[in-house]
Amino acid sequence: MKTVYGTALLVQGAEALLSDRAVDARVKAARREHPDAELVTLEGREVDAGRFVEATGGSLFSQATIVVVDAVSDLDKDLFDLVTVTAAHPPETLCLILVHPGGAKGRGLLTKLSKAKVETIKADALKAAAIPDFIAKEARRLHLDMDRDAVNALHQALGNDLRTLVAAVDQLASDSPNGQVGADAVRTYFGGRAEISSFNVADASLEGRLPDALETLRWALSIGVQPAAVTAAMARGLRSLGLYLDMRTQRMGDKQLAQAIGVPPWKLKSLNRQGRSWNKAGVAKAIRLVTTCDAAVKGAAVDANYALESMLIAIDEARQT
């Protein structure tokens, strides 16, 4: 069996679920080989040469080390050569995993890693047309028999957010004693859950996935989601992001930080992704845009749909300031 030690893996792409799964699969493979391996997780923006060398140079407490460097797009350019050399020739006791969230930032490092022939797994965001196939594949993974009508019903009910869809398929699999589910059962479970798509719009917008945000918005409006629900979701998302940007440098554990912000602990990973391309001034500007749009969709605008699309485009510009 091929060992994962003495190797490096680059996981590249904006779809967080696919990225997380690729990382988890490599970590589990490393754990199977060395159950006592030390796991070290680093954030790109916090890494310097000394910390990287210390993490990848071996552990005093274990014969093997798993090092995950998240958001390598945020690494200082002066580290690109060091990271590339280590990834190209990792020690036999090291399992190195580099995670790039997609986009142009850190492109120089990606070029170097490509030239060094570092193994790469793509985790690109799926287009809406590919979502039904993803749902069907997820159902097969859980040994759930879903016909195409059931797959399409789930897509229509919940939209394009992969984490939401995975959770839904898992619930259906758990609650289907014969391992089969049809479109009627899907509608019974999730037909009233269309409002969840407003939060999918907000997540895509705040993560800088403007095309996905616009596409999800149009889909949500087409199935009856109220425009005011979208502005409410955007306001809530921006409030959480603003608090995260204020508090992330404080000495708090994840649970304490999540409580202070008012979100579940799992939401911190999403806020961390969003926070990489936002600053406090941008969040403040985006909140003003949402407030203006909220008034528009509640009566001041002739076309609420156009007002929402314009808001998303303006918020994406605020994100990049």
Side-chain angles (χ1 to χ4, degrees):
M1 183 178 68
K2 182 180 178 181
T3 180
V4 297
Y5 289 93
T7 72
L9 173 68
L10 170 66
V11 180
Q12 179 189 357
E15 180 46 67
L17 175 74
L18 301 181
S19 178
D20 289 348
R21 282 186 167 182
V23 172
D24 289 345
R26 182 55 64 100
V27 171
K28 287 178 180 177
R31 289 288 198 202
R32 284 194 296 270
E33 287 188 51
H34 289 285
D36 63 340
E38 181 182 6
L39 175 62
V40 180
T41 302
L42 306 174
E43 281 289 335
R45 67 175 181 273
E46 299 172 353
V47 176
D48 58 24
R51 182 72 183 100
F52 183 78
V53 170
E54 178 186 9
T56 58
S59 170
L60 296 174
F61 308 103
S62 173
Q63 293 182 340
T65 308
I66 308 163
V67 176
V68 180
V69 186
D70 197 19
V72 294
S73 53
D74 292 336
L75 285 171
D76 189 289
K77 291 181 180 180
D78 291 342
L79 296 176
F80 286 4
D81 286 340
L82 172 61
V83 172
T84 301
V85 169
T86 305
H89 306 286
E92 293 183 359
T93 57
L94 173 66
C95 173
L96 178 62
I97 306 168
L98 307 173
V99 185
H100 189 284
K105 192 175 180 182
R107 181 65 60 184
L109 176 61
L110 296 181
T111 300
K112 289 177 179 291
L113 293 172
S114 176
K115 289 180 178 178
K117 302 188 184 309
V118 172
E119 180 186 357
T120 301
I121 292 178
K122 296 289 188 179
D124 296 324
L126 299 183
K127 296 185 181 299
I131 299 295
D133 287 339
F134 173 83
I135 296 171
K137 184 177 179 180
E138 190 66 19
R140 289 193 297 270
R141 188 179 72 84
L142 296 174
H143 306 291
L144 177 66
D145 184 7
M146 290 183 75
D147 60 26
R148 191 50 109 178
D149 287 343
V151 167
N152 290 337
L154 187 63
H155 187 201
Q156 183 178 23
L158 297 184
N160 298 331
D161 183 76
L162 297 193
R163 291 192 187 279
T164 301
L165 291 168
V166 166
V169 174
D170 183 67
Q171 181 177 345
L172 290 168
S174 298
D175 294 344
S176 301
N178 63 356
Q180 295 180 323
V181 64
D184 289 342
V186 171
R187 294 188 186 100
T188 298
Y189 271 95
F190 303 109
R193 294 280 300 282
E195 70 276 4
I196 200 170
S197 61
S198 61
F199 293 100
N200 296 342
V201 174
D203 285 343
S205 173
L206 298 183
E207 289 178 10
R209 296 184 285 114
L210 179 60
D212 288 343
L214 291 169
E215 185 176 39
T216 305
L217 171 66
R218 291 161 190 159
W219 172 84
L221 295 173
S222 74
I223 62 170
V225 173
Q226 294 301 306
V230 178
T231 54
M234 290 297 303
R236 181 175 176 179
L238 284 163
R239 175 186 175 279
S240 297
L241 177 59
L243 289 171
Y244 175 77
L245 292 177
D246 279 337
M247 298 179 180
R248 66 181 178 183
T249 57
Q250 298 181 20
R251 294 183 178 276
M252 292 186 186
D254 285 353
K255 185 176 181 180
Q256 185 181 6
L257 179 59
Q259 288 177 339
I261 296 173
V263 298
W266 59 262
K267 185 67 174 176
L268 292 180
K269 195 162 189 177
S270 175
L271 289 172
N272 183 45
R273 286 196 303 272
Q274 294 169 9
R276 293 170 191 156
S277 57
W278 281 92
N279 57 37
K280 295 177 185 178
V283 171
K285 181 178 180 181
I287 289 174
R288 292 194 294 272
L289 290 167
V290 171
T291 301
T292 300
C293 185
D294 188 59
V297 300
K298 290 177 178 176
V302 175
D303 187 339
N305 295 10
Y306 176 78
L308 287 169
E309 291 194 9
S310 298
M311 175 194 72
L312 292 180
I313 293 169
I315 284 175
D316 195 63
E317 294 173 353
R319 178 185 63 83
Q320 300 177 55
T321 57

